[in-house]
Amino acid sequence: MTDDQPPTGVLMFIAHRATEQRVMTRMAEVGATDITLAQARLLQRLAPEPMRLTDLAEQAGVTKQTAGGLVDQLEAAGYLRRVPDPSDGRARLVTLSERAVELCALAAREVEVVESEWREYLGASRFDDMRAALISLREITDPYR
């Protein structure tokens, strides 16, 4: 880049990574020290309703085998449950346990704190403009919008 700054995508990743680290630190503070970053990234993609492992893997951008391994670990730790698929008696769906629902709420509150800090640092107008621009970019970057 001509201004000695990283490309825009890298700048967005730096902000995302800082947010992830804050969330991971906050979860550890309440005793969730057994969740890895890879597991947390999978957890955050779970919809409120149960979902198929293949859909979860696709949304997380990992193989079904990788997602299956992470789900096995999270289930063993009490963060996920597998439940019968009502539309297919042979299949199972993945859903958050009560413990994970509480942890996801804690993570969401920490993200709100981070965004509040960003708003204060940038000013409301610049923060709102940044957020509006990123929301617009979802139209061409987010296949799951």
Side-chain angles (χ1 to χ4, degrees):
M1 304 266 350
T2 58
D3 62 0
D4 293 330
Q5 291 294 327
T8 304
V10 174
L11 293 170
M12 289 187 291
F13 175 72
I14 291 168
H16 173 74
R17 186 177 56 195
T19 303
E20 272 187 333
Q21 189 55 55
R22 286 276 299 270
V23 168
M24 294 298 290
T25 298
R26 183 70 185 109
M27 290 190 318
E29 289 171 356
V30 299
T33 58
D34 55 344
I35 295 179
T36 67
L37 188 53
Q39 292 168 338
R41 287 175 177 164
L42 192 76
L43 274 175
Q44 72 183 350
R45 284 170 176 73
L46 274 167
E49 64 278 347
M51 65 191 304
R52 291 181 179 267
L53 181 65
T54 53
D55 295 333
L56 181 59
E58 181 183 340
Q59 288 188 27
V62 299
T63 66
K64 184 179 172 188
Q65 292 76 16
T66 297
L70 292 170
V71 166
D72 288 345
Q73 295 164 6
L74 288 164
E75 183 179 32
Y79 294 106
L80 295 182
R81 296 181 299 119
R82 286 189 170 103
V83 296
D85 182 343
S87 66
D88 181 352
R90 299 167 296 143
R92 312 269 295 160
L93 301 175
V94 179
T95 190
L96 297 170
S97 69
E98 177 121 354
R99 179 179 182 197
V101 168
E102 292 169 6
L103 204 55
C104 287
L106 176 89
R109 286 190 302 274
E110 188 62 26
V111 169
E112 289 174 4
V113 169
V114 169
E115 289 192 9
S116 177
E117 291 170 4
W118 290 358
R119 176 181 288 278
E120 183 177 329
Y121 180 80
L122 293 173
S125 179
R126 288 177 65 204
F127 179 85
D128 291 344
D129 288 347
M130 175 193 68
R131 184 164 169 74
L134 292 170
I135 289 169
S136 291
L137 279 174
R138 285 188 72 194
E139 293 178 24
I140 62 171
T141 61
D142 185 357
Y144 303 106
R145 64 181 187 314

